[in-house]
Amino acid sequence: MEAPGEAAGAAGLRCHHPVAKMPDLPFLPFCVLLGGLGLLCVAFVGAWCQHWRGGFSLDGSARTFNWHPVLMVTGMVVLYGAAALIYRLPPARRGPKLPWKVVHGALALAAFILAVLGLAAVFRFHNAHGTPNMYSLHSWLGLVTVLLFSCQWAAGFSAFLLPWAPNWLRAFYKPIHVFFGATVLMLSVASCVSGINEKLFFSLKNGTTEYKLLPAEAVFANTLGLLIILFGVLVLGALARPSWKRPDTDSPESHQPLLTAER
């Protein structure tokens, strides 16, 4: 056993060790960087489909399929990421919460609509060409992501914007909603990256430069995948940062649903 003096000295040394903290980064420059990265993801997927995959149409051809990656990246990654971070904006961290609830829900709904249109495009293409639906891991993962997202949006709308739910239920469901929000984003990124890889394996053969030889299209699409992963990682990092979170309050207004708001 240590002598009392030695124990006190060791405790004193431990007390003087500085506590490691993450640097407090300003949110607005980060937000500009993330917004630019999101636009770059959309621009990359649009350029890939336009330049290498033949463009866009609604006639059931391969050009109809090209709407699928564009709508999915735009909706399930970029718009969904923006919806997840809406409460981190400095104006959203203070004052009435209800307007930001509406913006959050509207952005998530827009992402969901784009995701449904993206699914419709790929099903239309498959049905027009006699290709089986829902046989690959990418398709299973993508459908699970959209279904989970639809449940997430409906539960969030019911709990936080409709007047039926009591405050204790909203407080109980909030961490569950946050957890599944981050989960849906991770699944969306995984679905997009696996879809890019699958499309390259199917397309870069039979008269084109094979994928294993790394033609320009493969380099471009692989870069798109890395940009999507980077976007998702930065969003998750921002969500986990304590200094950017809106402070929890117990005021009645913080739990005010949409349909009972004062007019």
Side-chain angles (χ1 to χ4, degrees), residues 67-69 71-72 112-126 133-134 138-139 142-147:
W67 286 109
H68 175 68
L71 292 172
M72 287 310 201
F112 178 70
I113 291 172
L114 292 183
V116 171
L117 293 175
L119 290 178
V122 72
F123 281 123
R124 176 174 170 78
F125 167 73
H126 283 174
N133 292 306
M134 304 305 301
H138 164 68
S139 61
L143 187 61
V144 166
T145 302
V146 175
L147 290 176

Side-chain angles (χ1 to χ4, degrees), residues 34-35 37-39 41-42 72-83 111 185 231 235:
L34 190 64
L37 182 58
L39 292 176
C41 290
V42 175
M72 287 310 201
V73 171
T74 304
M76 292 300 295
V77 177
V78 178
L79 275 183
Y80 187 81
L185 179 62
F231 182 88
V235 171

Side-chain angles (χ1 to χ4, degrees), residues 9-20:
L13 289 175
R14 286 195 296 269
C15 291
H16 285 88
H17 284 307
V19 178

Side-chain angles (χ1 to χ4, degrees), residues 202-223:
F202 284 154
S203 301
L204 297 183
K205 61 181 181 179
N206 299 331
T208 64
T209 304
E210 294 184 0
Y211 189 13
K212 65 183 180 181
L213 299 178
L214 206 63
E217 180 181 357
V219 175
F220 191 88
N222 287 350
T223 303

Side-chain angles (χ1 to χ4, degrees), residues 93-153:
R93 297 181 215 164
R94 55 186 180 272
K97 192 175 183 180
L98 181 60
W100 300 103
K101 287 184 180 181
V102 175
V103 175
H104 173 76
L107 286 173
L109 180 60
F112 178 70
I113 291 172
L114 292 183
V116 171
L117 293 175
L119 290 178
V122 72
F123 281 123
R124 176 174 170 78
F125 167 73
H126 283 174
N127 295 336
H129 291 265
T131 304
N133 292 306
M134 304 305 301
Y135 66 89
S136 68
L137 176 60
H138 164 68
S139 61
W140 290 12
L141 183 61
L143 187 61
V144 166
T145 302
V146 175
L147 290 176
L148 183 60
F149 179 30
S150 64
C151 295
Q152 166 84 351
W153 190 91

Side-chain angles (χ1 to χ4, degrees), residues 169-221:
L169 181 59
R170 293 193 184 99
F172 171 80
Y173 176 63
K174 181 180 177 181
I176 299 174
H177 184 75
V178 172
F179 170 79
F180 279 103
T183 300
V184 168
L185 179 62
M186 289 189 297
L187 292 175
S188 299
V189 170
S191 299
C192 289
V193 171
S194 63
I196 291 169
N197 205 40
E198 182 178 286
K199 182 63 176 176
L200 290 175
F201 274 117
F202 284 154
S203 301
L204 297 183
K205 61 181 181 179
N206 299 331
T208 64
T209 304
E210 294 184 0
Y211 189 13
K212 65 183 180 181
L213 299 178
L214 206 63
E217 180 181 357
V219 175
F220 191 88

